[in-house]
Amino acid sequence: MNFLRFIPLFFLLQLRSQACINVPGTSLDGKSTLLFSHPAGDLRRAMDSDPRSMMDLISHESGPDEDPITELEKSGVRKILSGHFDEAIAILTDLEAEFPGRYSTASNLGTAYELHGDLGSALKWIEEGIRRNPESHQGTEWLHAAILKTKILLQDDPDFLNHHHLIELPEAISPRSKLVIQGEEQFALNLQNALHHQLKERLVFVKPTDPIVADLLYSYALLEAHLNSVEPAIELMELSREYGYPKPGQIDQKIEFYQSLIFWRKFRFYMWIALGIALMVTFLVFAYRKKWFFLTLSAYQKAKSAQ
């Protein structure tokens, strides 16, 4: 049908493609990926929060055979959140004597002792909590124990984190990579989840600066870059800097590298768009000269009458 050869240019320009809206990210090999999380935002909200408003944050999970948390334990949790750690320890110790074996009592005692500065007792009760309910805190309390062991180590060697990391990561990491952290073997993806969960809780109480939090944030950033994308890794690096990471030049180097990946990924993206536009314009000019379409109906009718 000859009339189909009349295609108003206005109509062509008004065509819109239908597509889903995605948030683009950049993988460590410079390719385009999707951003599935924004961990630094979650952590900043935790950092800016007031512990007293976080009543549900301190563990009051029950083990499989336990009754719901008692009012006495709630009062102990409130003492922790308000900074009265001596009173919290006294309440929770009495609760353990009266109702021995509860997971939540052990976990909350561990938290109270840590915030009070008694790291040995804190480690004892956190490990006891893990024994009573290993799946608590989404199965991430092993990292809490590792943090406490590192804090104890720092008492004898304050410069330890200047030369080591709490979590030593290999150069190449995939979600199924197996990593050994203080004798505990973990998949990289599990470690990523554990870091987010534990840091989100810890930042409610621990404000900048803190060497262990800074070190964990740096490792979290590296994991995000390997397993997700470099955009959230940059934000986590900056958060690590705020917490006093001892080698800011190392952070600058990583951020510069990540930003270069983002730049070249965007450059390639816009180059493809420019190439597509150039090809479309070339085709339209060629088609117009070949009289495959006309800009107006009168032009079409004139060309038809000339045939």
Side-chain angles (χ1 to χ4, degrees):
M1 296 176 63
N2 287 337
F3 185 74
L4 292 179
R5 295 170 63 191
F6 167 63
I7 306 176
L9 187 59
F10 173 80
F11 177 74
L12 282 175
L13 295 176
Q14 293 301 310
L15 285 175
R16 296 183 181 182
S17 61
Q18 302 297 315
C20 296
I21 298 176
N22 296 310
V23 179
T26 311
S27 65
L28 202 55
D29 58 3
K31 296 179 180 178
S32 182
T33 184
L34 295 179
L35 287 175
F36 294 107
S37 62
H38 184 54
D42 288 343
L43 298 182
R44 284 195 179 278
R45 282 188 289 274
M47 185 176 71
D48 294 338
S49 64
D50 183 345
R52 290 170 295 184
S53 68
M54 306 297 289
M55 180 63 186
D56 61 341
L57 185 64
I58 292 290
S59 172
H60 54 265
E61 300 176 47
S62 296
D65 300 320
E66 293 179 6
D67 295 326
I69 187 172
T70 63
E71 286 302 317
L72 182 61
E73 190 164 13
K74 286 182 180 179
S75 68
V77 171
R78 292 190 188 98
K79 293 296 183 183
I80 294 174
L81 292 169
S82 61
H84 298 95
F85 306 125
D86 282 331
E87 296 176 47
I89 290 168
I91 291 171
L92 294 168
T93 300
D94 289 344
L95 186 63
E96 173 66 17
E98 186 175 357
F99 303 102
R102 292 173 60 91
Y103 159 74
S104 53
T105 306
S107 177
N108 289 326
L109 267 171
T111 299
Y113 273 118
E114 180 182 1
L115 294 171
H116 188 52
D118 186 344
L119 300 178
S121 296
L123 179 59
K124 167 193 167 183
W125 283 107
I126 291 300
E127 289 183 332
E128 176 61 19
I130 294 171
R131 187 190 68 79
R132 293 179 183 182
N133 185 5
E135 298 307 315
S136 171
H137 294 265
Q138 300 179 18
T140 68
E141 279 292 83
W142 63 267
L143 182 54
H144 191 172
I147 291 170
L148 287 169
K149 291 175 184 177
T150 303
K151 292 180 79 170
I152 292 170
L153 180 62
L154 286 172
Q155 291 179 330
D156 296 326
D157 184 5
D159 294 328
F160 175 78
L161 289 177
N162 292 334
H163 311 291
H164 304 84
H165 294 288
L166 193 158
I167 299 170
E168 297 289 353
L169 297 174
E171 288 295 324
I173 307 171
S174 71
R176 300 297 293 175
S177 294
K178 286 188 176 181
L179 311 174
V180 178
I181 298 99
Q182 296 187 358
E184 294 281 346
E185 190 176 75
Q186 301 288 338
F187 286 115
L189 190 60
N190 292 344
L191 174 58
Q192 183 186 29
N193 294 335
L195 280 166
H196 187 78
H197 188 89
Q198 289 291 324
L199 282 168
K200 190 175 179 181
E201 293 189 353
R202 184 161 292 271
L203 266 58
V204 173
F205 298 97
V206 182
K207 310 303 180 183
T209 59
D210 182 87
I212 288 183
V213 169
D215 183 71
L216 290 173
L217 285 166
Y218 183 83
S219 296
Y220 191 9
L222 295 180
L223 273 175
E224 278 292 315
H226 279 88
L227 304 182
N228 186 10
S229 54
V230 300
E231 284 83 356
I234 291 174
E235 296 177 344
L236 290 168
M237 286 284 178
E238 293 292 2
L239 199 52
S240 175
R241 191 199 305 275
E242 289 181 40
Y243 268 87
Y245 187 73
K247 298 178 181 178
Q250 203 172 60
I251 288 179
D252 292 336
Q253 187 178 26
K254 287 291 184 183
I255 290 178
E256 184 179 355
F257 173 61
Y258 294 158
Q259 287 175 336
S260 70
L261 293 176
I262 295 169
F263 171 81
W264 287 111
R265 190 265 301 170
K266 289 182 177 180
F267 178 80
R268 288 190 297 270
F269 174 75
Y270 289 116
M271 282 296 293
W272 279 112
I273 290 178
L275 179 60
I277 292 173
L279 288 173
M280 179 178 288
V281 170
T282 301
F283 171 76
L284 289 174
V285 170
F286 176 79
Y288 178 72
R289 289 178 176 177
K290 288 289 187 178
K291 299 189 182 302
W292 290 355
F293 72 91
F294 303 90
L295 298 180
T296 64
L297 179 59
S298 61
Y300 166 74
Q301 292 171 338
K302 182 178 179 181
K304 185 177 180 182
S305 63
Q307 291 178 352

